Amino acid sequence: MKHITIRDIVRVTEGKLIVVGRSGDSEIPEEVPERELTDLCIDSREIKKGDLFIPLLGERVDAHKFIPGVMSTAVATLTDWDADRVYADPGELEKAGKREDILIRVENTQKALEQIGAYIRTQYEPPVIGVTGSVGKTTTRRMIATALGSCREVFETPGNLNSHIGIPITTSRMLDEPSEVAVLEMGIDRIGEMDVEYSIVRPEIAVVTMIGVCHMEYFGSREGIRREKLKVAGHDTVLFLNADDPMLMEIKGKTEAREVWYYGVSEEAEYRAEDMVQTDDGYRFIYVHGDIRVPVELPVAGMHNVRNAVVAMAIADYLGMDLEKAAASLAGFQGLRQIIRHSGKGTTIIDDTYNASPDSMKAALTVLSDYKTEGRRWAVLGDMFEMGPREKEFHKEVGEGFSGYKVDRLITVGELAGLLGEKAHEVNKEMQYYHFAAIEDAAEYLKKELREEDVVLFKASHGMNFSKLVEWLE
């Protein structure tokens, strides 16, 4: 947030500046409006010197209650409470008056956060790329940043700040260090959130990875998900869509984007992979666009990652970059969500415990099936959350695919995952199948049965706490 002052925040949010301890008629010290801010902070536990604290109303608590505790560190705070409510405790009010705490009274702190993020985005001149989709956003964003980073300084979404709350914080940091292009991840789980995110990010280039069934509880249908995801592109946006996703091919010629390009392994894709060969580590393929042909070595498994690499090359191509350098950068790419670990027994662990949906689970099972090993392939799967009224159907659908996966043993944990397992065993009788009600029981079984050279995939929604399983085995 270089060169962003309290005055800027007051102006952008149409807020009212209050210095606690001064009456409404007292003049605010001249230096207060010109004071520069270091960063935005929405978590009182992470407050740093110079931050602007932005208390939000969460599902369980209103962070306004933490304002008195952060003001000895923060430069100022936004608030949609009056000062006497913020400092309801007379003792806290007295301390605030002595410190002359700085409050910026706004109508709504969430809306003010969005206004700040949008304002700072307008100060950023290089092209901005927005990445969304039901599956593969983070890996695609990282691959694009990796490819573009071969020739340009890249700013990209830090950590998991990819929601309607995280994106304004991301854009607020875009000016901190010089960069020539930005790659921002845009995730949604409610109707209307992409409208907010687009209004902040305004991407010149946008990518939609695929339309799956994540957060069906809130979107209702895949058509609803597609409608919301495609709001990532406006009239001035260049849009890249996955040609291997029928849901995205259906809308060919029907978007509002200025330009639409398709990528993937399909012959219908203008940017595509050809001559794909599976290697010990991943894939080797030829990137093709028109007369351009560039060899690419990708050291991560899964056909979905080939598509991710293709769109990374496509955007580098569209921006006129050196494609051989972009390909060389991708040759050093390391996966993010799927982390390869090893247990004390020498077992290879594919740690994909970050989250799960039917599409990401199918992709992970394909990676496991393709993994080269002399040992056995294990899949340890748990419940997928936020699937809506068709949750049982979606779990059974994943199980039906086991007729085509190379899996020697399947372990399921959770009631819904049990439905997946029953269907999987029904279509693949040769595979050994075990179900456990708790992850502790599954851990005990795995500790006894896993051997050297075995490969085991862990995949479930984050709330299943499968990361503990991985920790115990490591």
Side-chain angles (χ1 to χ4, degrees):
M1 287 187 63
K2 284 186 176 179
H3 312 306
I4 304 299
T5 66
I6 290 176
R7 183 188 299 276
D8 294 325
I9 301 300
V10 172
R11 176 175 54 82
V12 168
T13 63
E14 298 181 346
K16 177 183 179 182
L17 188 59
I18 301 169
V19 178
V20 180
R22 292 173 177 263
S23 68
D25 297 328
S26 297
E27 186 176 343
I28 293 172
E30 292 183 5
E31 75 276 6
V32 168
E34 303 305 328
R35 195 169 297 171
E36 290 193 2
L37 305 168
T38 304
D39 200 357
L40 305 180
C41 178
I42 60 173
D43 188 336
S44 61
R45 297 164 297 183
E46 299 177 0
I47 198 75
K48 307 182 299 298
K49 200 74 176 174
D51 283 357
L52 172 67
F53 182 56
I54 304 178
L56 302 176
L57 175 61
E59 293 181 1
R60 298 180 181 178
V61 66
D62 190 331
H64 279 78
K65 64 185 288 186
F66 303 122
I67 291 176
V70 304
M71 291 311 296
S72 60
T73 304
V75 166
T77 183
L78 294 185
T79 176
D80 48 37
W81 288 6
D82 291 326
D84 57 354
R85 186 181 176 192
V86 172
Y87 300 103
D89 184 327
E92 292 291 354
L93 180 59
E94 183 179 354
K95 292 178 185 176
K98 290 180 179 178
R99 289 192 302 255
E100 294 195 330
D101 290 356
I102 301 170
L103 311 183
I104 302 173
R105 179 72 164 82
V106 296
E107 184 176 340
N108 180 278
T109 54
Q110 173 64 47
K111 180 64 176 177
L113 171 63
E114 296 161 7
Q115 291 170 325
I116 295 168
Y119 166 70
I120 298 177
R121 163 66 180 96
T122 65
Q123 311 302 303
Y124 188 83
E125 296 182 358
V128 175
I129 300 160
V131 181
T132 193
S134 299
V135 179
K137 293 184 295 294
T138 300
T139 302
T140 302
R141 181 253 299 173
R142 284 295 301 122
M143 282 199 187
I144 294 170
T146 298
L148 302 188
S150 63
C151 298
R152 300 188 185 180
E153 291 293 328
V154 179
F155 173 89
E156 64 173 309
T157 299
N160 61 352
L161 295 175
N162 64 351
S163 68
H164 67 291
I165 294 174
I167 281 176
I169 298 173
T170 293
T171 57
S172 75
R173 298 173 181 175
M174 291 173 71
L175 304 178
D176 288 353
E177 299 294 336
S179 61
E180 299 166 286
V181 63
V183 188
L184 306 189
E185 186 176 334
M186 302 171 70
I188 59 173
D189 57 22
R190 299 289 193 283
I191 291 174
E193 289 180 352
M194 187 59 81
D195 295 290
V196 173
E197 294 179 18
Y198 175 80
S199 71
I200 298 169
V201 176
R202 298 284 177 179
E204 284 87 1
I205 298 173
V207 177
V208 181
T209 62
M210 72 167 296
I211 305 301
V213 292
C214 290
H215 311 298
M216 286 288 281
E217 180 180 353
Y218 305 106
F219 292 117
S221 66
R222 292 185 73 193
E223 287 77 14
I225 294 172
R226 179 176 63 189
R227 182 173 57 252
E228 294 300 310
K229 296 287 185 182
L230 286 172
K231 290 179 180 179
V232 72
H235 293 290
D236 297 327
T237 311
V238 177
L239 180 61
F240 285 82
L241 299 176
N242 179 0
D244 304 321
D245 183 349
M247 290 288 290
L248 292 174
M249 286 300 294
E250 282 179 10
I251 51 91
K252 191 170 185 178
K254 301 176 183 178
T255 73
E256 295 183 357
R258 175 166 61 88
E259 296 179 38
V260 179
W261 299 97
Y262 279 89
Y263 70 91
V265 300
S266 166
E267 291 184 0
E268 297 183 62
E270 292 100 343
Y271 299 86
R272 63 186 179 275
E274 292 184 358
D275 302 334
M276 290 167 287
V277 177
Q278 189 176 347
T279 65
D280 289 342
D281 298 321
Y283 281 90
R284 182 170 61 246
F285 65 90
I286 304 297
Y287 164 77
V288 177
H289 174 54
D291 295 332
I292 298 172
R293 300 178 65 86
V294 180
V296 179
E297 294 268 359
L298 189 65
V300 287
M303 184 58 67
H304 57 289
N305 281 321
V306 172
R307 298 185 185 97
N308 298 339
V310 169
V311 74
M313 291 290 291
I315 292 176
D317 194 348
Y318 186 86
L319 293 175
M321 294 176 50
D322 187 321
L323 294 181
E324 291 187 359
K325 289 183 178 179
S329 288
L330 287 174
F333 182 82
Q334 294 183 340
L336 293 175
R337 294 298 190 222
Q338 288 180 342
I339 304 171
I340 306 301
R341 306 182 187 276
H342 298 280
S343 74
K345 291 184 176 181
T347 303
T348 298
I349 297 170
I350 303 176
D351 177 0
D352 200 345
T353 58
Y354 177 77
N355 221 329
S357 68
D359 296 295
S360 66
M361 196 166 273
K362 292 172 187 176
L365 287 163
T366 300
V367 170
L368 174 64
S369 298
D370 291 345
Y371 207 97
K372 294 186 177 181
T373 178
E374 298 297 323
R376 299 166 297 176
R377 294 179 180 85
W378 295 64
V380 184
L381 308 180
D383 291 353
M384 299 178 287
F385 297 152
E386 297 183 1
M387 292 291 104
R390 296 174 60 198
E391 60 182 6
K392 293 181 179 179
E393 179 184 336
F394 289 133
H395 282 80
K396 291 177 181 179
E397 178 188 306
V398 174
E400 288 173 355
F402 269 75
S403 60
Y405 300 131
K406 296 178 184 177
V407 178
D408 299 296
R409 291 195 184 187
L410 170 64
I411 306 293
T412 57
V413 182
E415 182 179 349
L416 291 169
L419 299 175
L420 182 162
E422 290 171 6
K423 180 59 69 173
H425 194 232
E426 182 182 314
V427 301
N428 188 350
K429 295 290 187 182
E430 295 182 2
M431 174 186 68
Q432 295 186 41
Y433 169 57
Y434 304 89
H435 177 76
F436 298 96
I439 59 174
E440 293 83 357
D441 299 328
E444 288 303 316
Y445 177 78
L446 290 166
K447 287 177 182 178
K448 294 176 184 176
E449 296 295 326
L450 285 173
R451 300 197 297 258
E452 188 177 355
E453 295 190 344
D454 283 357
V455 180
V456 55
L457 164 71
F458 291 94
K459 183 74 172 170
S461 282
H462 186 69
M464 290 295 292
N465 293 319
F466 266 34
S467 56
K468 289 185 178 179
L469 271 173
V470 175
E471 291 175 11
W472 289 336
L473 287 178
E474 280 193 299

